[in-house]
Amino acid sequence: MKELVERIKKDGQVLGDGVLKVDSFVTHQVDAELMEKIGERFAEVFADQGITKVVTIEASGIAPALYAAQALKVPMIFARKAKSLTMAEELLTTSVYSFTKQVTSQISISKKFLSEGDTVLIIDDFLANGQAAKGLVELCQQAGATVSGIGILIEKSFQDGRALLEEMDLRVVSLARIASLENKTVEFLEEDA
Amino acid sequence: MKELVERIKKDGQVLGDGVLKVDSFVTHQVDAELMEKIGERFAEVFADQGITKVVTIEASGIAPALYAAQALKVPMIFARKAKSLTMAEELLTTSVYSFTKQVTSQISISKKFLSEGDTVLIIDDFLANGQAAKGLVELCQQAGATVSGIGILIEKSFQDGRALLEEMDLRVVSLARIASLENKTVEFLEEDA
């Protein structure tokens, strides 16, 4: 997506260690207009897939997932990273290992919101090692739901997340694909949509 | 706001201990259309206040804050509950005590996103004891920014959050005000907008 790629070129910051910081428009301060365009793009790409739910994980995935859900006229669900007091009922739960934080955490979705009849579009802001997306896929599988595809804002194509998901026969659509962050410079591959 | 009140009557669940669960449309599964109407309502109420930033806290505040920011044509910032790897720079930070979880946690916003010139609208999903909203106000004050008001989806008017904020000379606008959750029944006060 040209607008996202241009925005990364303009406002993304490359730190050491393969870290791309987009906290001025995605992960901390959020540009609602850009998120709406991104959500609408995902909705276009998956328009004929019979999507019934858009699923993401708190917190940075919420904005693009929300606009995608709105454009597709379906509910959005965000998986929680910790059990909350009011989630005492039955949960779909799995473990996600974060290479960045080097911790394993639980993510959960209430069973009542996903079922066999659902066709799910998963949305997340980053795809690196693919662990978060894989966790979301596992929650959908536990519910017996079908995952129609995975929409990603920024794919770190030099890490193995995309391969991991494609080996699971999942369709990955990334709006920006980054070949390299070496020498503090962002090199792009051609994006999927 | 009539639509929010009606939705709470229809889909809200009262658990014991003064807990109102709205996880089918606000806190876990999210109704984007309703959130957009809520965001637009806040934007109308604060239209002439010269708002430059909408501030909320992850995760349930993000959806309504995003639509309010979009309608006001300003950026949205969500305070983070834990420091992330890519937030090494200078932070505005304060402590928030959660009566629900009985823990004190740190919330942070990057200094670079709030400054003296900013006029802030704070948005959150619930107002109970007011600790989260007070924490967000403190972050704005640390930055020297002006807080123009606090927009709340659901106020538990039988708790003291509103009084706490009004004693700080802050304007509170709640779209649903709950007088009581006794006998597992939601009793409403007249809402602010």
Side-chain angles (χ1 to χ4, degrees):
Chain A
M1 185 184 180
K2 191 167 177 298
E3 276 159 300
L4 178 58
V5 170
E6 292 305 315
R7 187 63 174 270
I8 294 167
K9 286 180 184 169
K10 180 170 164 277
D11 291 330
Q13 285 180 275
V14 186
L15 307 186
D17 314 336
V19 174
L20 173 65
K21 195 165 161 172
V22 290
D23 66 347
S24 66
F25 58 105
V26 180
T27 59
H28 185 26
Q29 180 170 265
V30 183
D31 180 335
E33 285 295 324
L34 179 64
M35 292 302 123
E36 184 177 38
K37 286 173 189 162
I38 286 169
E40 288 172 351
R41 176 63 55 90
F42 286 130
E44 277 168 33
V45 170
F46 290 93
D48 59 356
Q49 300 297 304
I51 304 294
T52 61
K53 296 277 166 76
V54 174
V55 169
T56 189
I57 184 165
E58 58 178 338
S60 304
I62 292 176
L66 190 66
Y67 286 111
Q70 188 176 22
L72 289 164
K73 301 185 192 305
V74 300
M76 184 273 277
I77 301 164
F78 59 96
R80 311 292 314 225
K81 287 179 181 163
K83 292 177 188 179
S84 85
L85 183 75
T86 57
M87 282 176 71
E89 77 274 29
E90 287 193 280
L91 297 174
L92 311 162
T93 298
T94 193
S95 299
V96 171
Y97 179 72
S98 165
F99 286 89
T100 317
K101 296 179 188 162
Q102 301 190 331
V103 292
T104 298
S105 54
Q106 299 293 311
I107 65 168
S108 304
I109 290 178
S110 238
K111 275 192 182 169
K112 64 185 173 188
F113 295 130
L114 278 180
S115 65
E116 283 179 20
D118 280 315
T119 301
V120 175
L121 169 59
I122 290 172
I123 301 277
D124 207 1
D125 55 342
F126 274 96
L127 175 63
N129 296 288
Q131 299 302 304
K134 180 168 160 275
L136 293 174
V137 170
E138 285 167 1
L139 296 182
C140 294
Q141 288 172 338
Q142 285 178 26
T146 302
V147 176
S148 183
I150 300 171
I152 297 292
L153 273 62
I154 304 173
E155 174 190 312
K156 291 179 171 174
S157 308
F158 55 91
Q159 293 188 257
D160 54 8
R162 188 186 186 102
L164 177 82
L165 298 172
E166 289 184 342
E167 278 162 22
M168 296 167 74
D169 274 332
L170 293 162
R171 178 181 176 197
V172 178
V173 175
S174 300
L175 301 189
R177 301 187 68 203
I178 292 171
S180 161
L181 293 171
E182 285 175 23
N183 304 317
K184 299 212 170 185
T185 305
V186 189
E187 301 280 351
F188 292 89
L189 296 178
E190 192 177 349
E191 62 268 23
D192 298 319
Chain B
M1 184 183 180
K2 190 167 178 299
E3 277 160 300
L4 178 59
V5 170
E6 291 306 314
R7 187 63 173 270
I8 294 166
K9 286 180 184 169
K10 180 170 163 278
D11 291 330
Q13 285 179 274
V14 185
L15 308 185
D17 314 335
V19 175
L20 172 66
K21 195 165 162 172
V22 289
D23 66 347
S24 66
F25 59 106
V26 179
T27 59
H28 186 26
Q29 180 169 264
V30 182
D31 179 336
E33 285 294 324
L34 179 63
M35 292 302 123
E36 184 177 37
K37 286 173 189 162
I38 286 169
E40 288 172 350
R41 177 60 56 89
F42 286 131
E44 278 168 31
V45 170
F46 290 94
D48 59 357
Q49 299 298 302
I51 304 294
T52 60
K53 296 277 166 75
V54 174
V55 168
T56 188
I57 185 164
E58 59 178 338
S60 304
I62 292 175
L66 190 66
Y67 286 111
Q70 188 175 22
L72 290 164
K73 302 186 192 305
V74 300
M76 184 274 277
I77 301 163
F78 59 96
R80 311 291 315 223
K81 286 177 181 164
K83 291 178 190 180
S84 85
L85 182 74
T86 57
M87 282 175 72
E89 75 274 30
E90 286 192 279
L91 297 173
L92 311 163
T93 297
T94 193
S95 300
V96 171
Y97 179 72
S98 166
F99 285 90
T100 316
K101 297 178 186 163
Q102 299 189 333
V103 292
T104 297
S105 54
Q106 298 294 310
I107 65 167
S108 305
I109 290 179
S110 242
K111 274 191 183 171
K112 64 185 175 188
F113 295 131
L114 277 180
S115 65
E116 283 179 19
D118 280 314
T119 301
V120 175
L121 169 61
I122 290 172
I123 302 277
D124 207 2
D125 56 341
F126 274 96
L127 174 63
N129 296 288
Q131 298 302 304
K134 179 166 160 276
L136 293 174
V137 170
E138 285 167 1
L139 296 182
C140 295
Q141 287 171 339
Q142 284 178 27
T146 303
V147 177
S148 182
I150 299 172
I152 297 292
L153 272 63
I154 304 172
E155 173 189 313
K156 291 179 171 174
S157 308
F158 54 91
Q159 293 188 257
D160 53 10
R162 189 185 186 102
L164 177 80
L165 298 172
E166 289 183 341
E167 278 162 22
M168 296 166 74
D169 273 332
L170 293 161
R171 178 181 176 196
V172 178
V173 175
S174 300
L175 301 188
R177 301 187 69 203
I178 293 172
S180 160
L181 292 170
E182 285 175 22
N183 306 314
K184 298 211 170 188
T185 305
V186 189
E187 302 280 350
F188 291 89
L189 295 179
E190 191 176 350
E191 62 268 22
D192 298 318

